[in-house]
Amino acid sequence: MVGTGDYLILAAALFTIGVIGVLTRRNIIIIFMSIELILNAVNINLVAFSMYWQHFTGQIYALFVITVAAAEAAVGLGIIIALFRNKETINADEIDLLKW
Amino acid sequence: MMTFDQILFYALAVIAVLSAIMVITRRNPVHSALFLITTLFCVAGIYLQLHAEFLAAVQVIVYVGGIMVLFLFVIMLVNLETLSQERRFNRQWHIAILVSVVLLVEFGTIIWRGKAALQLPANQPLMDTLTTNNSEQLGVVLYQQYMLPFEIASFLLLVAIIGAVILAKRRLSSDGK
């Protein structure tokens, strides 16, 4: 029997890897993929607790997280395309239009 | 002695974490995307283990079939020749990794301390509320108890479609450049 704690530790590991990706990479597309990793880690937590409490709410929440992830990916990739067209770069540290 | 459940879980977890590490370290974004697909498949397997069959199917269809194809499409649209020679990581990566390791240690400590409370009683039979007819029961809960959030989610998707089309449209500035 795999305990709920094991699922939580796996989710924490995936979450941390995603955070490292967001904080260290320069390529915006990889930063987006790291955000997907973070959302997946959250989903594992929700489904594990759904199993633990024998209740459906966790799975419904995970479903909504997947919906929001899809919307976020569509809008984010649209932003990347618009950015690339205007600035000719997809490196996060070269995009400093808001820097004063 | 490890049971089949445990062997399956640890195999899926190790593959998921290893390919997640590959996602954030590969130079070529296409390789990252392919490793992310591996991670997503492993997470779908973990959903199956947790008796969330419908979510596992949604994970494969929406993430692997939809979002990752979108990612690969955009990578091919904006692929730069100079990308392969550039630095992969930004200047603050030492601090970032330090902060992340502290975060992981915090998570680990909290989960470790609460581990006894999280353990399910060993021989308690699973209630059939979650395990039988998962999709049917999920649908009933979703369309009755969570009707309003469901409608709001559909509205969010509509807004996202329009936003993505407007953002990716050619002429963005009004000066007609």
Side-chain angles (χ1 to χ4, degrees):
Chain A
M1 185 76 203
V2 186
T4 309
D6 299 332
Y7 291 105
L8 297 193
I9 288 181
L10 167 67
L14 282 181
F15 185 91
T16 313
I17 293 169
V19 169
I20 293 175
V22 169
L23 292 178
T24 58
R25 288 302 298 249
R26 297 174 75 220
N27 190 331
I28 306 186
I29 295 176
I30 307 236
I31 292 178
F32 256 94
M33 289 186 202
S34 306
I35 294 174
E36 301 295 331
L37 273 180
I38 293 176
L39 290 171
N40 260 281
V42 173
N43 273 352
I44 292 177
N45 267 1
L46 288 170
V47 178
F49 275 118
S50 162
M51 184 69 179
Y52 178 67
W53 293 111
Q54 296 287 304
H55 201 277
F56 264 112
T57 305
Q59 294 188 21
I60 303 273
Y61 267 55
L63 207 58
F64 284 128
V65 170
I66 290 179
T67 314
V68 172
E72 172 252 341
V75 174
L77 294 172
I79 290 175
I80 290 177
I81 291 178
L83 204 59
F84 181 71
R85 192 175 291 134
N86 290 327
K87 297 274 290 180
E88 292 288 320
T89 179
I90 50 169
N91 286 334
D93 47 3
E94 288 168 25
I95 301 157
D96 46 9
L97 286 171
L98 280 179
K99 236 185 211 170
W100 191 44
Chain B
M1 185 61 202
M2 293 216 306
T3 59
F4 178 68
D5 250 12
Q6 282 175 315
I7 294 170
L8 197 64
F9 171 75
Y10 287 118
L12 286 173
V14 166
I15 296 173
V17 169
L18 286 183
S19 32
I21 291 171
M22 297 296 261
V23 169
I24 62 167
T25 50
R26 291 304 92 189
R27 189 178 286 278
N28 189 338
V30 177
H31 295 173
S32 291
L34 294 178
F35 277 114
L36 184 56
I37 290 174
T38 315
T39 305
L40 295 175
F41 267 121
C42 289
V43 173
I46 283 165
Y47 289 166
L48 276 184
Q49 252 200 332
L50 284 163
H51 295 286
E53 287 89 4
F54 182 73
L55 264 183
V58 165
Q59 171 92 356
V60 172
I61 294 168
V62 173
Y63 261 112
V64 181
I67 296 178
M68 290 319 294
V69 170
L70 200 62
F71 265 103
L72 286 172
F73 196 63
V74 170
I75 289 169
M76 285 165 199
L77 271 182
V78 301
N79 212 2
L80 286 172
E81 294 299 317
T82 57
L83 210 62
S84 45
Q85 286 95 39
E86 284 181 341
R87 287 181 298 125
R88 267 177 290 176
F89 302 103
N90 55 22
R91 275 180 227 91
Q92 73 265 22
W93 68 272
H94 309 88
I95 307 167
I97 287 182
L98 188 72
V99 169
S100 308
V101 167
V102 171
L103 188 70
L104 185 62
V105 169
E106 271 180 41
F107 281 146
T109 317
I110 292 168
I111 295 167
W112 196 257
R113 285 167 66 102
K115 210 170 171 81
L118 289 171
Q119 211 72 38
L120 283 172
N123 44 11
Q124 173 201 3
L126 290 171
M127 284 186 283
D128 54 358
T129 49
L130 277 182
T131 48
T132 54
N133 295 340
N134 177 268
S135 308
E136 184 188 336
Q137 297 200 45
L138 194 76
V140 169
V141 177
L142 184 62
Y143 288 121
Q144 288 178 354
Q145 207 179 337
Y146 292 95
M147 193 66 210
L148 183 65
F150 179 80
E151 292 297 337
I152 293 172
S154 69
F155 193 71
L156 174 76
L157 283 175
L158 178 70
V159 172
I161 293 168
I162 297 171
V165 169
I166 301 232
L167 280 171
K169 217 170 56 168
R170 202 150 276 280
R171 217 172 291 265
L172 263 182
S173 52
S174 54
D175 55 11
K177 210 164 42 157

